[in-house]
Amino acid sequence: MKKWHVFLSFIVGLTLLASIPISASAADKPSNIQSFEPTSLVKSDGTYWVWGGNQSVPTQFHGMTDVKTVFSNNFVMKKDGSIWYLERNQSLSSTQIHEVKGLSNISAFHPLGNELFAIDTDGKVYTAVHTDGTLDLTQFVQLSGIDNVTNISGYYEFIQREGELRSVFLKNDGTVWKDKNALQSFERIPSLNDITAIDNNFALKKDGTVWKWPWTRQFSEDAIPLDTTPTVISELRNIKKIKSNGNSNIAIDDQSRLWFWGVTITGSSDGTTYHEGKVPVLLNNIKDVRDAYIVERSLVVLTESGNVYETSIEGTSLPGNANFTLLTSDVNLIKQGYRSIIMQKNDGSLWGWGVNKDAQLGYGDYEFMHSTPVPVQKPISVHLNGESVALNNGVMIRNSQAFIPLRSVFEKLGAAITFEEMSKVVTIKRSNVGMPPLTISINYKSGEVTVNNKAIQLQNTPFGVNGTSYLPLRFISETLGAKVDWVQLEDKISITMK
């Protein structure tokens, strides 16, 4: 994801009254988050929120309502079952919304090589249409010859020195099928029966055994057709979950123990070396494992008690006595992104960990990585005189204060905003008929603020994040005479201006 250019906007912060707290614990109210993905969520009121790129914190996308479920890759499903794709742009206001033709009531999307598959609740499989050599994510067609599918994965095999990605389909009867001819026909893998899960070139049987077939990822002049007959991994027994990212692999057995095999890493950039560990290793220093994830160069583990631990996979191998560090507790669910994770705690709050150079963690900054969990900012809506305000960046909480993008609010109040790039001085002018003229000047270099040329000392000095300027709202609200209320049950800030 590219770091998009950020347009200048103003974010005004509000110090809420002590009797109106900006945050609430699970005892105060239930979470308003209905579902979430690594960079998006839907609230219980059906509003859709995104972060990453220009949006450093969750920001409401006003063109999308009545949302039921969010998926990765900017797809959403509305309550009527229709599927929509958001072609995100630099500004949310210029983002295009497309209803996806040929899809409804989708349970999952599966990107695989140059294809994007979708599975509906009946097990039918669809693929995005190819137009002029690229995927058209607004049109899908159903695949014929394959149905009752519960999961899709894939692996590479070489045929006469030419690499080919094979799509693999798990059916609800436990059989596994693979693409035989560019998604035009499919054949069953005969030795795989009673399969409960597939991931890349691995399959988990109902009896707890794990099966694999070769996956060749590198071109070789003497590459020959592979024998793709699945074979059992003898070291693994009584397994209940498997995962693979195509390099590193993990398994959890019926005693909630964690196994690891595959790639570990040394070096960096052009000096990176991948070390293949072919024999699964039981990791003895972690117990009661519920789930596990390979994130960058780390192995992250969620335990049954809700604790989250991390250990590095840097080295020539991962030893059985690898040390795990506690990251956080009280976690109920984890969603994995490309280089980071988003965790939901028991109180409904979201927390991020990992690479953040494009604001993937929704924390409100662009630090390359956060090695300790940081809170994803709450999805807080802003209303002015009862009207929902569309923002280019969402509400930010700092030191129990809400900082709110209010450029559009100023415009609605008849104020004009100018910004001098060289001096970093912002000027806000109000010239409403029947109201006294007002000029607010903010110098973002010196922190000096004046109202009608009179110096004002602010409790919180102005600051900026990635080209966006922020300002405490107490000063603005008192100066303009606005009334501000925090609607806790809805995570909403209501501004009233007479």
Side-chain angles (χ1 to χ4, degrees):
M1 182 184 297
K2 296 180 180 179
K3 182 175 288 186
W4 300 318
H5 173 71
V6 178
F7 293 102
L8 176 68
S9 64
F10 280 86
I11 294 187
V12 186
L14 163 65
T15 304
L16 295 170
L17 299 178
S19 60
I20 311 175
I22 193 63
S23 60
S25 67
D28 296 323
K29 71 176 187 65
S31 170
N32 279 324
I33 298 175
Q34 183 168 296
S35 72
F36 72 97
E37 286 296 326
T39 57
S40 63
L41 63 85
V42 57
K43 289 176 66 172
S44 54
D45 61 3
T47 56
Y48 177 62
W49 301 68
V50 298
W51 62 92
N54 268 12
Q55 287 69 49
S56 61
V57 297
T59 306
Q60 184 178 351
F61 187 84
H62 273 69
M64 185 60 59
T65 58
D66 297 320
V67 176
K68 178 181 180 181
T69 305
V70 293
F71 301 98
S72 297
N73 305 319
N74 298 319
F75 287 94
V76 304
M77 181 168 66
K78 287 194 173 187
K79 295 175 182 178
D80 62 4
S82 62
I83 307 298
W84 298 74
Y85 170 66
L86 279 73
E87 189 176 357
R88 285 188 67 177
N89 209 332
Q90 290 181 332
S91 170
L92 290 185
S93 61
S94 60
T95 292
Q96 300 295 311
I97 310 173
H98 308 275
E99 183 172 8
V100 181
K101 299 177 181 178
L103 288 187
S104 63
N105 296 309
I106 294 301
S107 59
F109 286 90
H110 295 274
L112 187 62
N114 293 324
E115 304 289 348
L116 178 60
F117 297 101
I119 305 175
D120 70 12
T121 53
D122 294 326
K124 298 185 182 71
V125 179
Y126 303 80
T127 184
V129 172
H130 287 260
T131 303
D132 298 327
T134 61
L135 284 182
D136 182 354
L137 301 182
T138 69
Q139 296 188 66
F140 282 68
V141 294
Q142 183 180 348
L143 292 183
S144 60
I146 192 78
D147 57 10
N148 297 313
V149 172
T150 61
N151 198 7
I152 302 174
S153 192
Y155 68 98
Y156 275 98
E157 64 181 40
F158 273 81
I159 301 175
Q160 296 178 347
R161 300 199 301 271
E162 183 177 349
E164 185 171 346
L165 179 63
R166 296 292 193 188
S167 303
V168 180
F169 304 84
L170 173 62
K171 289 193 175 187
N172 58 17
D173 63 1
T175 60
V176 179
W177 298 66
K178 70 176 182 179
D179 167 31
K180 186 178 180 181
N181 180 27
L183 301 177
Q184 300 302 308
S185 61
F186 307 88
E187 64 180 358
R188 181 177 173 182
I189 302 177
S191 57
L192 293 181
N193 303 296
D194 297 322
I195 300 299
T196 60
I198 59 172
D199 203 344
N200 288 304
N201 57 322
F202 297 96
L204 174 62
K205 281 195 174 184
K206 187 183 296 183
D207 63 6
T209 57
V210 179
W211 296 70
K212 67 176 181 178
W213 51 93
W215 181 351
T216 302
R217 292 182 294 274
Q218 296 181 345
F219 174 80
S220 173
E221 286 293 336
D222 58 357
I224 59 176
L226 296 172
D227 178 6
T228 57
T229 303
T231 57
V232 69
I233 301 177
S234 59
E235 293 83 4
L236 298 175
R237 290 288 186 268
N238 302 315
I239 300 300
K240 62 181 182 180
K241 180 178 289 189
I242 58 171
K243 281 188 175 180
S244 171
N245 66 1
N247 290 309
S248 304
N249 318 295
I250 49 184
I252 303 171
D253 64 23
D254 61 358
Q255 298 180 53
S256 298
R257 301 181 302 177
L258 183 62
W259 298 75
F260 176 91
W261 72 104
V263 168
T264 57
I265 306 169
T266 57
S268 60
S269 300
D270 293 339
T272 300
T273 303
Y274 299 92
H275 308 270
E276 181 92 23
K278 296 184 178 180
V279 178
V281 175
L282 175 62
L283 303 179
N284 296 303
N285 286 339
I286 192 74
K287 307 293 183 184
D288 300 320
V289 176
R290 187 197 310 177
D291 212 340
Y293 313 82
I294 302 295
V295 186
E296 282 288 285
R297 299 186 177 198
S298 293
L299 173 59
V300 177
V301 179
L302 173 63
T303 66
E304 294 290 352
S305 63
N307 291 334
V308 178
Y309 296 88
E310 179 268 342
T311 192
S312 173
I313 61 170
E314 289 189 297
T316 57
S317 64
L318 185 63
N321 64 347
N323 292 320
F324 286 82
T325 300
L326 179 66
L327 293 180
T328 189
S329 303
D330 300 318
V331 172
N332 179 55
L333 181 63
I334 294 179
K335 293 293 183 74
Q336 182 172 358
Y338 175 53
R339 307 178 71 184
S340 57
I341 57 173
I342 300 294
M343 303 169 280
Q344 187 172 43
K345 293 200 172 188
N346 293 326
D347 64 2
S349 63
L350 299 182
W351 293 71
W353 179 90
V355 172
N356 182 59
K357 72 184 186 71
D358 289 310
Q360 297 99 315
L361 304 186
Y363 177 58
D365 68 8
Y366 290 83
E367 292 293 328
F368 181 83
M369 181 170 180
H370 285 286
S371 57
T372 57
V374 293
V376 178
Q377 295 286 316
K378 296 183 70 173
I380 298 175
S381 60
V382 179
H383 288 69
L384 174 62
N385 293 335
E387 178 184 348
S388 181
V389 179
L391 310 173
N392 257 344
N393 212 327
V395 174
M396 186 180 296
I397 309 295
R398 286 195 175 181
N399 299 321
S400 299
Q401 297 179 341
F403 295 82
I404 309 170
L406 283 183
R407 183 182 181 91
S408 57
V409 172
F410 281 122
E411 294 169 350
K412 288 177 183 294
L413 295 175
I417 303 171
T418 59
F419 176 69
E420 176 55 48
E421 179 65 34
M422 294 297 294
S423 63
K424 303 299 181 185
V425 172
V426 172
T427 303
I428 304 170
K429 288 189 175 183
R430 185 192 66 191
S431 56
N432 302 54
V433 176
M435 300 184 69
L438 177 68
T439 300
I440 304 172
S441 177
I442 308 106
N443 188 316
Y444 280 87
K445 285 184 177 179
S446 65
E448 180 183 0
V449 179
T450 64
V451 177
N452 291 338
N453 296 319
K454 180 180 179 180
I456 299 295
Q457 183 66 43
L458 294 182
Q459 179 181 355
N460 299 282
T461 58
F463 64 91
V465 175
N466 198 39
T468 300
S469 301
Y470 294 77
L471 185 70
L473 181 58
R474 175 182 288 277
F475 161 66
I476 298 294
S477 62
E478 290 179 349
T479 303
L480 297 179
K483 181 178 182 295
V484 182
D485 295 304
W486 166 238
V487 185
Q488 180 171 304
L489 291 178
E490 301 177 38
D491 286 336
K492 179 176 76 174
I493 293 175
S494 177
I495 303 172
T496 304
M497 189 71 176
K498 294 182 179 180

